[in-house]
Amino acid sequence: WRNRFVSIDPALATLIAELGGRMGLPDLALDGDLSCALRFDRRSVVNIQYRPDRDMLWFFADLGVPAAGPAAYEDLLRGNFFWRSTLGATLSLSGDQPPHAIIALPVAWRGLDGPRLATQLESFVNTAEDWAEVIADPGDGRSTASESLATGNEPMTFIRI
C-alpha cells in the first residue's frame, strides 16, 4: 500500500529522526510507504512500519524458513504463550511456500522519546536474533536455544478455582 496522501505526524517524524541520530543515521525517516528498514550486524533486518489506521509503529522481521520445517512450529507456538519468550512480540508464519517465520511487535509511539524507542528496538532486535537462531536450527526443532526460548525462564502459575 502506498500512502502518498497520508502526512506523517511531525512528532513521529521527529521521533524517527531522534532514533536515527542515536544510531548514527541522521537522515533516518519513513518513506512513502511509511516504513524504513534497518540492517544490524549485516544479518538482521528489522522493518519499522507506521500504521495510521492504528496510530502505531510496528517492528517486524523475517526470520527465514524454519530449517526443521513443521517440527519448529510447536516452538513458535510455545514462544507466543503469554509472549514470555518474545518480550511482547508475536511469532507467525507467512503465506509463502515454504512459509517464513515472522516476528512482529506493535509499538505505541506517542509519549516515547528517542532513547526509549531505541531501547524498545534493541530489545526487539535481540529477541529476533535469538529466534532466528532457533529457526536456522536444522534439528528436530528442539535445540537448547529453542527449549529455553519456547519454555521461558520463569515458571508460569495460574489461579485455579
Side-chain angles (χ1 to χ4, degrees):
W1 85 6
R2 296 261 331 152
N3 293 294
R4 295 176 197 262
F5 303 110
V6 175
S7 62
I8 296 173
D9 184 317
L12 178 57
T14 298
L15 180 63
I16 297 296
E18 283 181 33
L19 175 66
R22 293 188 61 77
M23 299 174 66
L25 301 168
D27 296 328
L28 185 64
L30 299 178
D31 64 13
D33 290 324
L34 304 177
S35 66
C36 62
L38 302 167
R39 181 178 300 278
F40 297 90
D41 299 328
R42 295 181 180 245
R43 62 178 187 203
S44 300
V45 176
V46 172
N47 299 277
I48 300 174
Q49 176 78 50
Y50 175 59
R51 294 276 314 267
D53 58 330
R54 309 271 181 178
D55 197 27
M56 299 283 282
L57 287 176
W58 283 82
F59 296 160
F60 64 95
D62 183 334
L63 304 176
V65 174
Y73 297 173
E74 185 177 334
D75 287 331
L76 294 172
L77 285 172
R78 281 198 175 118
N80 279 331
F81 185 67
F82 288 104
W83 305 276
R84 292 184 308 158
S85 301
T86 61
L87 301 179
T90 300
L91 295 161
S92 61
L93 294 172
S94 71
D96 302 313
Q97 285 304 323
H100 290 232
I102 307 294
I103 188 167
L105 177 70
V107 177
W109 66 274
R110 291 199 184 271
L112 290 180
D113 59 12
R116 287 178 42 211
L117 183 61
T119 297
Q120 285 190 353
L121 179 59
E122 180 180 13
S123 176
F124 180 80
V125 169
N126 291 336
T127 301
E129 288 179 350
D130 288 346
W131 277 102
E133 288 180 27
V134 172
I135 296 305
D137 181 7
D140 64 358
R142 304 305 303 172
S143 70
T144 303
S146 68
E147 284 290 333
S148 68
L149 282 170
T151 60
N153 292 330
E154 69 242 22
M156 195 67 167
T157 58
F158 294 95
I159 297 173
R160 298 190 193 271
I161 299 176

